[in-house]
Structures are given as C-alpha cells and as structure tokens.
C-alpha cells in the first residue's frame, strides 16, 4: 500500500507538470480530471461507499491552487495536437493503475469540451452518397463472402473509433473509483474502531456484556443496510463525464471525508493514546459513526436523486439543422446536469438527423440574385460601394416578382408522389417475399414425401433467400427517402433474420424503414459520444428563467431554452350531484 | 338578454271582441314565445334573442282577423298589462280571462315602421 501511495503521489505530480506544459488556455476538463484524481469528484454520489475498490487509500486534500472552478477557460482541450504525446503517456498510466470497477461498458456520453479540429465520423454525421449503395441492383445471388466484406471506409472509421474511445473509457472510471475508495474507507472505519482496542490492549479492557452485544447487533444491521443502499443508489456505472464539478457530489464527498477524519482524530487522541478501557463507550462511539453515515446517505439521496424530481422548468430543445423540437419538464438542476438529461431524451425522442434531407435545391434559391448586374456610374471612389451594391441587388430582387415558391411547391409534390409510389412497390414486394417461407413444424417432417424433401433452413439462410426479390424495391425506396446511408445490405438482412425469427409480419419488418426512428436506433452503443456544452454562464449554475445554452456536435447543435413552469393557483368548486337538472327547450304554441 | 332596456316601437291598437263558442270565449289566434321559451326558434322575430309574445297563427274569419291582427305581430300590451317580459303561461292567462269580453292589444310589426317612414318622407314638414 505504501508503494501505491508513492506511485500515486508521483502520478499526481506528473499530472501537474503536464498542466504547466500546456499553452495558456487550459480546459476545465483537464483541471477537473486532476481534481478527480485527488479524490474529490465521483460520478454518482458519495455517502456510504462501495465494496468494489481494491485497497483503502487515504485521499489527499487538493492543493489550493487547483480549487478554482469559477473562472472560465477557453475551449482548447488537452486533446489537441500539441499534447497528443503527453496524452498517450497519461492514458497508458491510467490503464496500468488497474481498474477497480467491474461493471459492463454500456453506451454513454461524455459531455466534454473538445477541440474543433477533430472530426468524429459516426452514424450521426453521415457522408451520404459516397458509400457503396449499389448492392440492390447487382445482387442476384447472395453468397457468404459478399455479406462479410468490409469496405475501406469502414476500416478507417473503425480505427478512428478505437483511437477515440479508449481514453474516454479510462477517464470515465477514475472518479467513481476514488469515490468508492472513500466510501469503503468510511465503511471500514467503525469496524476498525471496534477491532483496534481488542487487538492492542485486550487484557486491560473492561468486560462488557449484554449492552455491548445489543450494540453489536444494531451496528451489524446498520452496516448491512448502509451497504445495500449504497449498492442500490450509488454503484451504477456513470453515464456521462461532466465538464465541471458536480457540486453536490463534491460537497457530499468532502462532508464524508471531513466527518470520518474528525472521528478518526478524536479516536486517535482520546482512545488510542490513553488506551481507553471503557469498551462500551467505544462501541457506542462506533455506533454513532454508523448513524451519522446513514444520515449522510440520506442527505445524498435527497440532494442527488430526489431534489430534481419535482418539475420546475420547461426546456425547449431545438435542433439547429432541421428544426425538430421537443419540450421537456425538468426540476431544479444545474446546467450541466440538465444538459445530460436532455441528451438522454434526445437519443430516444428525436428522429435521426439526416443531412441529405435539408435544404431547398439550389436551383430554386440561386435564381434570385443572379439576374441583376449593378453598374457604377460616375465616381471611381468606391470604398463603400460593395455593401451599397449588394443592398441594391437585394432590394431589386425583393421587388421583382418571385415565382420560386411555385417551383418549390411542385417539386415537393413530385418528391412526395415518387416516395409514395416506391413505398407501394416496396410493401408489395415485401409481402410477396414473406409468403415464400413459413415456419417448419416438426410434424410436417413425417407428412412430406421422401421423393421431394424440403430443405430446412435456419433463420439466416431464410432471410437471405427471401431478400433477393425485395432488394431492388428496398434500395429504390431508401434512395427516394435519402436513407440509404443508414441501412447497409448487411443490416437489412440482419433485421430480416430478426423478424423472421420472431414471427413478425411484413409490416413489422418495414416499420424500421418507413419512418425515421430515434437516433438511438442507429447508434453503435459501445462507443461514447462527444458533445460540447456551450453556455454563457458557468455550467454549475442552477437553471433559471430565460437561460439559453446549446449542445454542439460536429455538424449540428441543440439549442435549449429554459422557461419556468407557471405557478398554479388551484381553486375549488363543489357541485352537489343533486343540482344537475335539465329542462327541455320549449317552443309551445297556445291558441287563445 | 339584459332586462331593463327601454324598448321603443311603433304600435297599433287592436280591439278584439271575444267570440262565445260553446262554453269558451275564443279570440281566434295562437301565441308563441315567452321568457321561458327558446327564442331562437321563433320564425317571426327579427332579433333571435327576443323573448316576446308573437302571434303565430290566425284562424280564418275569427275575431282576431277581423280586428286587424296579423300573423307575426308582437304583442306588447294586453289591456294595459305588459307582454314583453312574461312567461308563456302568464301571457295565456292574461288573454283568456273569463270576466273580460274585450281585449285591447298594442301590437307592433315591421310594416308599421315602414309605413311611418314612408309617410314622413312623402309629406314635407309643415
């Protein structure tokens, strides 16, 4: 344990040196990372701690120069090209330190600040037409080799993914690991309080009968409850890396640390030094520590899990490229936590961003400006003429009779008609294809004649067999709706196999292609996702009316506007059920 | 409908003598309307929120037709009693009092207004 302490001390020093080596603009990510290494940040709450971390390690208080999370830094992250070599060293070190968490790697997002010059090509930013999507027209017989081949583009993409994902994974688990260490230490402390007198000065201790045993039982059960609730609440693998501290979590970890430290201090001075003989008092002291830990866990539960449940704000999330928008109700959160929450909803609510569907065709828009030519009569002194020139052109174009809306309307109608026609063809082709196979029941084996044995196929072969007749219609339809980059032939056959296995109807098979699903459907969930939080206020500030922040990715961003939910004044009106009476509306005529 | 609004109208006085028909005294017309009725179904009223009493039918050669009552007339007063704010039943009772032989009605109709306008227009002021 001593050597590991030394190693970690050396590691932290080395990280400090790296910080100084960076250019003037530092990223908060790197600073928060350093801070997390020094045992202050943990992903999901402090409190009771866990049993996953290997070995108890005393967290050091962070040096004063680093506790500066209110100043703003520019977005120049340490992942830029300058520090690429140092990053590799740091990553290797992180990996060697040994992971104490054994949880599975699920899909998650890291809300980090990234350098602008780093393209991440993935399912969300498509490259459209330069893929090989001619498979529908040339495929007549589907063999095993053609399905398994990997194109060159996929290879480059995969290598880039590997490069990007591994540092994310390692950094992700650092802070939870440290929090777990602190928690484990806090959990072990009462047992240490009980065990140390027994080990060190057992003969001088006063014997303590029934009251002590009662306290033992209560201590055991409280520790068990603490363990179980910690496992239930805090031991979940983190889903996001935040750019700055999670204030509540840091507060709780600091509280736990202070608490346990002060208990140890008192214990060391009053019990270990004078070799206190009143064992019952010591047991009571340990029990009070466990009580206080339970209360801290209650505080953690309230701060981290419960406080933000009551809705207080309505967030409007708009995607900048195509205007898809949603409204969500959230409670009192900080900006970064709200950003993570919004991204969770984004992946399952928003239809996938298809850059091919965006703008008006150029032919419609470009006509306006090109029809005018401005002649400069007179002076040669034309310094301010360019703006004047463009303004006159714009004014003239605006006054001119504009028929481009006509073309837009007809083109839209044409596109829609084409899509509908192709959809009809596709539906018919798929229905027909599905009639070619049926499930093989075991009792059929005896009834089929031995002269014409029917070939029994497994789902994959069945899918390949019926894929051929529908391939062309499918490809034409995907081309018409500009979805061809999202569905490769392989993925379609996989989906077909899936549907055939689960007895789905042709309509169920087509549901995936007829409407653009949520982004989550197209994601490769083993990799993290990089988003940038752009905000005018510090991201640990609480949500307030009128705030606007945006979440940026490479080619689009989500703009989030905060509006408070209205205060509701609910009145009451009691209606006696007997007062519901009706009369017919009359029009009587009386003769007099 | 706001009660209490002053109503001005050009009215015609009509005096009907009740006819004895067996045991009953009949006037020879039917009424509709009243504040407890649905004014939207009144075919004779100009304003469909008017809950007044209207003459809906006149029997041929009865006392009412001979006295000059026409279908679609709105009855404003009966023997001095107001008819613009009464229920249907109250109106019926006012018209069928057994101890009265004569009812004097004040009725209004659209054609009265037209007639007054024409007369005002054709004769210059003197």
């Amino acid at each position: 344990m001593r050597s590991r302490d030394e190693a970690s001390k050396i590691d932290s020093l080395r990280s400090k040196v790296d910080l100084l080596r960076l250019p003037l603009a530092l990223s908060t990510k790197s600073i928060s990372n350093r801070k997390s290494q020094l045992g202050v940040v943990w992903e999901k709450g402090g409190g009771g701690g866990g049993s996953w971390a290997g070995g108890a390690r005393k967290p050091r208080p962070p040096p004063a120069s680093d506790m500066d999370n209110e100043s703003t830094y520019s977005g120049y992250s340490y992942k830029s090209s300058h520090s690429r070599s140092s990053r590799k060293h740091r990553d290797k070190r992180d990996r060697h330190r040994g992971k104490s968490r054994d949880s599975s790697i699920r899909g998650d997002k890291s809300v980090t600040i990234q350098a602008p010059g780093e393209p991440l090509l993935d399912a969300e930013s498509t490259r459209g037409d330069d893929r090989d999507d001619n498979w529908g027209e040339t495929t007549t017989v589907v063999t095993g080799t053609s399905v398994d081949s990997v194109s060159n583009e996929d290879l480059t993409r995969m290598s880039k993914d590997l490069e990007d994902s591994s540092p994310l994974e390692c950094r992700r688990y650092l802070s939870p690991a440290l929090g777990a260490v602190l928690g484990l230490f806090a959990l072990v402390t009462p047992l240490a309080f009980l065990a140390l007198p027994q080990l060190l000065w057992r003969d001088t201790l006063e014997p303590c009968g029934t009251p002590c045993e009662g306290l033992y039982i209560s201590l055991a059960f409280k520790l068990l409850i603490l363990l179980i609730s910690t496992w239930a609440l805090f031991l979940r693998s983190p889903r996001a890396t935040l750019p700055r501290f999670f204030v509540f979590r840091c507060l709780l970890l600091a509280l736990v640390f202070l608490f346990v430290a002060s208990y140890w201090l008192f214990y060391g001075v009053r019990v270990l030094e004078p070799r206190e003989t009143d064992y019952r008092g010591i047991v009571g002291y340990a029990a009070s520590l466990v009580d206080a830990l339970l209360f801290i866990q209650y505080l953690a539960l309230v701060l981290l899990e419960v406080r933000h449940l009551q809705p207080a704000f309505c967030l409007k999330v708009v995607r900048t490229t195509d205007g898809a928008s949603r409204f969500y109700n959230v409670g009192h959160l900080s900006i970064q936590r709200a950003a993570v929450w919004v991204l969770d909803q984004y992946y399952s609510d928003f239809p996938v961003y298809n850059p091919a569907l965006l703008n008006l065709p150029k032919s419609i828009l470009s006509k306006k400006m090109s029809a005018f030519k401005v002649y400069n009569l007179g002076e040669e002194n034309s310094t301010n003429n360019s703006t004047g020139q463009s303004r006159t052109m714009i004014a003239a174009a605006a006054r001119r009779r504009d028929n481009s809306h006509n073309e837009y309307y007809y083109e839209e109608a044409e596109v829609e008609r084409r899509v509908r026609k192709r959809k009809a063809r596709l539906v018919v082709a798929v229905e027909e294809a599905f009639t070619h196979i049926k499930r093989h029941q075991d009792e059929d084996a005896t009834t089929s004649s031995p002269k014409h044995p029917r070939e029994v196929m497994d789902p994959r072969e069945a899918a390949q067999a019926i894929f051929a007749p529908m391939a062309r219609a499918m490809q034409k339809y995907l081309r018409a709706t500009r979805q061809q980059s999202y569905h490769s032939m392989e993925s379609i056959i996989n989906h077909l196999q899936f549907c055939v296995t689960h007895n789905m109807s042709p309509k169920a098979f087509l549901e995936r292609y007829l409407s653009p699903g949520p982004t989550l459907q197209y994601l490769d969930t083993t990799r993290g996702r990089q988003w940038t939080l752009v905000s005018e206020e510090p991201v640990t500030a609480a949500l307030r009316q009128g705030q606007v922040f945006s979440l940026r990715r490479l080619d689009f961003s989500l703009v989030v506007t905060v509006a408070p939910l209205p205060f509701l004044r609910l009145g009451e009106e009691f209606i006696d059920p007997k007062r519901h009476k009706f009369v017919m509306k009359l029009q009587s005529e009386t003769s007099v | 409908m706001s009660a209490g609004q002053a109503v001005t109208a050009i009215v015609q006085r009509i005096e009907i003598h009740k006819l004895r028909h067996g045991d009953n005294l009949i006037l020879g017309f039917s009424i509709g309307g009243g504040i407890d009725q649905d004014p939207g179904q009144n075919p004779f009223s100009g304003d469909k929120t008017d809950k007044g009493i209207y003459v809906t039918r006149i029997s041929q050669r009865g006392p009412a037709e001979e006295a000059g009552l026409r279908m679609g007339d709105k009855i404003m007063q009966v023997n001095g009693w107001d008819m613009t704010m009464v229920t249907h039943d109250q109106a019926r009772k006012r018209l069928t009092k057994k101890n009265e032989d004569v009812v004097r009605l004040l009725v209004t109709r659209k054609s009265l207004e037209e007639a007054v306008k024409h007369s005002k227009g054709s004769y210059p002021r003197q």
Side-chain angles (χ1 to χ4, degrees):
Chain A
M1 191 174 134
R2 286 296 302 163
S3 62
R4 213 185 293 171
D5 263 343
E6 308 268 15
S8 56
K9 254 192 212 153
I10 298 173
D11 287 347
S12 67
L13 281 177
R14 200 185 302 160
S15 70
K16 268 201 206 154
V17 168
D18 283 344
L19 267 180
L20 293 174
R21 255 203 294 147
L22 277 179
L24 277 178
L26 299 164
S27 84
T28 56
K29 186 65 190 69
S30 55
I31 291 215
S32 72
N33 203 24
R34 299 306 143 244
K35 284 174 182 158
S36 71
Q37 285 175 7
L38 302 170
V40 189
V41 175
W42 189 34
E43 280 296 332
K44 275 284 183 190
S51 54
W52 295 99
R57 218 171 25 174
K58 273 200 192 123
R60 276 166 301 280
S65 60
D66 264 359
M67 288 295 273
D68 178 22
N69 62 338
E70 285 313 302
S71 57
T72 52
Y73 295 94
S74 79
Y76 193 87
S77 113
Y78 81 115
K79 271 179 24 164
S80 71
S81 52
H82 289 285
S83 53
R84 197 170 278 276
S85 58
S86 59
R87 177 165 65 97
K88 282 210 185 101
H89 285 310
R90 231 176 285 134
D91 294 333
K92 285 211 190 86
R93 222 191 326 119
D94 287 347
R95 249 175 268 138
H96 287 318
R97 201 179 283 179
K99 288 309 119 215
S100 51
R101 181 66 61 82
D102 200 18
S103 45
S104 63
I105 300 167
R106 290 197 304 248
D108 66 349
K109 298 167 289 299
S110 62
V111 184
T112 62
I113 299 179
Q114 61 162 11
E118 208 170 31
L120 271 180
L121 287 173
D122 49 29
E124 287 174 47
S125 60
T126 63
R127 281 173 304 157
D129 302 319
D130 53 348
R131 281 192 204 203
D132 177 24
D133 50 4
N134 287 323
W135 41 264
E137 284 159 358
T138 55
T139 308
T140 52
V141 175
V142 176
T143 66
T145 51
S146 64
V147 170
D148 290 330
S149 65
V150 176
S151 73
N152 196 26
E153 296 156 339
D154 290 338
L155 271 175
T156 51
R157 191 161 48 106
M158 269 194 294
S159 61
K160 259 195 198 135
D161 296 347
L162 281 173
E163 199 183 22
D164 285 326
S165 63
S166 42
L168 281 173
E169 285 175 30
C170 298
R171 275 204 317 266
R172 194 196 295 175
Y173 292 118
L174 260 179
S175 35
L178 283 150
V181 158
L182 182 62
L184 189 69
F185 176 62
L187 216 57
V188 157
T189 302
L191 303 173
F193 284 179
L194 291 179
L196 281 175
Q198 296 278 354
L199 293 174
L200 294 179
W201 61 90
R202 170 177 242 146
D203 26 347
T204 53
L205 275 181
E206 291 170 6
C208 153
T210 324
C212 269
E213 281 162 17
L215 281 173
Y216 287 156
I217 290 180
S218 84
L219 206 67
F221 277 119
K222 279 185 200 156
L223 276 177
L224 180 68
I225 290 178
L226 210 58
L227 260 175
I228 293 179
S229 60
T230 306
W231 167 83
L233 289 173
F234 304 125
L235 292 187
R236 292 176 284 193
S237 67
R239 297 200 41 259
T241 317
L242 303 176
R244 296 210 186 193
F245 290 123
F246 186 173
V247 174
F248 287 151
R249 203 187 291 155
C250 299
L251 181 74
L252 285 165
L253 283 172
L255 199 65
V256 167
F257 170 69
L258 262 173
F259 192 71
V260 172
S262 60
Y263 260 72
W264 266 110
L265 191 65
F266 185 85
Y267 187 76
V269 168
R270 296 291 190 178
V271 174
L272 286 181
E273 283 285 321
R275 300 207 161 200
E276 176 70 39
T277 54
D278 178 18
Y279 194 58
R280 194 189 170 292
I282 295 175
V283 177
Y285 185 63
S288 79
L289 171 63
V290 177
D291 285 342
L293 283 177
L294 274 172
F295 285 134
I296 290 187
Q297 192 172 63
Y298 160 74
L299 186 66
L301 178 65
V302 162
L303 279 182
L304 297 179
E305 307 282 337
V306 171
R307 183 169 181 260
H308 60 77
L309 287 180
Q310 186 188 32
F313 295 101
C314 183
L315 302 181
K316 176 175 183 182
V317 185
V318 181
R319 186 157 58 186
T320 53
T321 48
D322 56 357
S325 72
R326 296 278 186 284
F327 288 82
Y328 297 114
N329 284 358
V330 294
H332 289 280
L333 289 172
S334 61
I335 293 183
Q336 57 185 3
R337 282 172 83 193
V340 171
W341 195 88
V342 161
L343 286 176
D344 279 343
Q345 310 302 312
Y346 168 78
Y347 276 102
S348 53
D349 278 348
F350 275 67
V352 65
Y353 162 58
N354 194 345
L357 281 176
L358 282 184
N359 300 312
L360 294 180
K362 288 282 190 302
S363 58
I364 292 180
L365 285 177
S366 64
K367 274 194 186 172
K368 297 176 94 171
M369 298 294 254
S370 59
F372 289 100
K373 202 165 150 53
V374 178
Y375 292 96
N376 191 7
L377 306 172
E379 299 128 25
E380 290 304 315
N381 190 12
S382 57
T383 46
N384 59 348
N385 228 12
S386 55
T387 50
Q389 196 170 10
S390 51
R391 260 194 225 144
T392 51
M393 279 180 73
I394 293 174
R399 260 179 252 129
R400 176 186 152 198
R401 188 151 160 257
D402 180 11
N403 271 337
S404 59
H405 59 272
N406 246 350
E407 297 177 26
Y408 176 58
Y409 168 70
Y410 283 117
E411 178 137 355
E412 277 248 316
E414 175 68 30
V415 163
E416 203 179 307
R417 206 178 58 89
R418 200 182 328 146
V419 165
R420 277 213 295 262
K421 210 158 54 155
R422 290 199 176 169
K423 176 179 165 184
R425 287 208 189 120
L426 174 67
V427 168
V428 164
V430 169
E431 296 255 358
E432 218 179 285
F434 267 68
T435 58
H436 290 323
I437 55 168
K438 71 170 182 132
R439 223 164 231 279
H440 172 67
Q441 312 292 339
D442 284 331
E443 52 266 21
D444 286 351
T446 54
T447 58
S448 65
S449 64
K451 274 195 191 169
H452 307 280
R454 285 197 283 196
E455 185 192 325
V456 176
M457 302 182 284
D458 68 352
R460 179 87 189 168
E461 292 163 3
Q464 286 170 352
I466 62 173
F467 176 68
M470 71 161 95
R472 194 183 165 82
M474 171 71 81
Q475 199 231 354
K476 277 187 140 36
Y477 177 77
L478 290 181
R479 271 244 182 93
T481 54
R482 319 270 180 103
Q483 283 178 327
Q484 71 267 23
S485 52
Y486 291 117
H487 303 288
S488 66
M489 189 170 72
E490 175 70 26
S491 76
I492 297 181
I493 294 187
N494 283 338
H495 187 234
L496 191 52
Q497 176 188 346
F498 173 77
C499 292
V500 161
T501 315
H502 292 276
N503 289 330
M504 291 202 192
S505 74
K507 211 169 188 179
F509 164 70
L510 279 176
E511 150 294 314
R512 193 176 194 204
Y513 304 105
L514 293 181
S515 57
T519 315
L520 199 58
Q521 199 177 1
Y522 303 96
L523 270 193
D524 172 24
T525 52
T526 56
R527 281 180 37 228
R529 288 268 172 264
Q530 191 96 352
W531 287 83
T532 308
L533 177 55
V534 178
S535 153
E536 291 159 12
E537 302 189 4
V539 296
T540 49
L543 285 179
R544 241 187 36 234
Q545 172 186 13
Q547 270 179 354
V548 176
F549 60 94
S550 70
L551 290 156
R552 201 177 58 211
R553 240 187 111 72
L554 284 171
D555 40 359
F556 66 93
S557 59
L558 301 172
V559 177
V560 182
T561 316
V562 180
L565 289 175
F567 181 75
L568 303 169
R569 282 189 193 89
L570 214 54
E572 175 203 358
E573 184 181 332
F574 173 70
I575 294 186
D576 186 3
K578 293 204 196 60
R579 281 187 22 207
H580 293 298
K581 300 229 184 282
F582 292 90
V583 288
M584 287 286 287
K585 274 188 140 185
L586 299 173
Q587 189 60 31
S588 47
E589 195 183 353
T590 323
S591 52
V592 293
Chain B
M1 179 169 160
S2 55
Q5 254 181 348
V7 175
T8 53
I10 300 183
V11 294
Q12 177 184 355
R13 273 176 232 275
I14 293 185
E15 195 172 298
I16 308 181
H17 297 266
K18 291 189 189 177
L19 184 67
R20 188 160 287 277
H21 196 251
D23 207 15
N24 306 319
L25 285 167
I26 61 167
L27 285 163
F29 65 96
S30 301
I31 54 166
I35 54 176
D36 55 341
Q37 307 281 315
D38 180 12
Q41 301 189 31
N42 189 344
F44 303 110
S45 59
D47 177 15
K48 288 303 171 195
T49 60
D50 184 4
K51 293 187 176 179
I53 307 291
Y54 281 77
V55 174
T56 55
R57 218 165 34 88
I58 308 245
S59 40
Q60 294 282 349
R61 291 199 302 272
E65 191 178 4
E66 287 173 4
L69 198 62
R70 300 285 168 259
M71 192 166 76
D73 289 357
K74 176 176 175 183
I75 303 176
M76 308 295 278
Q77 279 185 13
V78 171
N79 285 342
W81 294 99
D82 172 58
M83 283 284 148
T84 55
M85 277 282 159
V86 290
T87 65
H88 189 88
D89 213 36
Q90 284 170 341
R92 180 189 58 82
K93 279 189 192 152
R94 295 249 196 286
L95 284 165
T96 54
K97 287 209 183 317
K98 286 222 183 328
N99 50 2
E100 289 173 355
D101 276 346
V102 175
V103 287
R104 293 183 181 85
L105 313 175
L106 286 180
V107 302
T108 182
R109 62 179 85 94
K110 275 212 199 67
S111 53
L112 287 176
E113 313 236 358
E114 311 283 321
V116 169
K117 270 203 210 120
H118 278 303
S119 67
K120 269 195 182 162
S122 49
Y123 292 109
R125 278 197 114 182
Q126 285 157 14

